[in-house]
Amino acid sequence: SACLVGSEMCKETAYEVPKENQTGNLDLYADALVSMRVAVAMLGVSRMTIHRMMVEGRLPSVKMRHHRRIPLRAIRALIQGR
């Protein structure tokens, strides 16, 4: 599940999206893996764009059985423009 402690509900997907804690960081979740739906909600792009980014190597992912999970660290890096 993509639900993480201390997170904010993403209404469009009914999944929880990690948010910054009161100290302004997400280090607690640094090694977390999130679903494609959470990545879509956090980045504000389509599933197809997320898929394209994974195929192009711009967004790493891990295959877990039949699903892909994306490192939260990678999403944060994209958001911060790294």
Side-chain angles (χ1 to χ4, degrees), residues 12-37:
E12 297 84 32
T13 62
Y15 283 82
E16 293 187 18
V17 176
K19 66 176 184 178
E20 292 182 352
N21 64 24
Q22 292 173 348
T23 60
N25 64 47
L26 284 169
D27 293 335
L28 192 66
Y29 308 115
D31 296 322
L33 297 172
V34 298
S35 69
M36 187 178 260
R37 285 185 184 193

Side-chain angles (χ1 to χ4, degrees), residues 11-65:
K11 295 175 184 137
E12 297 84 32
T13 62
Y15 283 82
E16 293 187 18
V17 176
K19 66 176 184 178
E20 292 182 352
N21 64 24
Q22 292 173 348
T23 60
N25 64 47
L26 284 169
D27 293 335
L28 192 66
Y29 308 115
D31 296 322
L33 297 172
V34 298
S35 69
M36 187 178 260
R37 285 185 184 193
V38 171
V40 164
M42 289 183 75
L43 294 172
V45 297
S46 69
R47 285 179 60 90
M48 188 58 164
T49 298
I50 296 288
H51 178 74
R52 190 176 310 116
M53 292 169 77
M54 289 188 300
V55 169
E56 293 171 352
R58 294 186 305 156
L59 187 62
S61 65
V62 177
K63 188 163 185 175
M64 299 178 77
R65 292 194 178 228

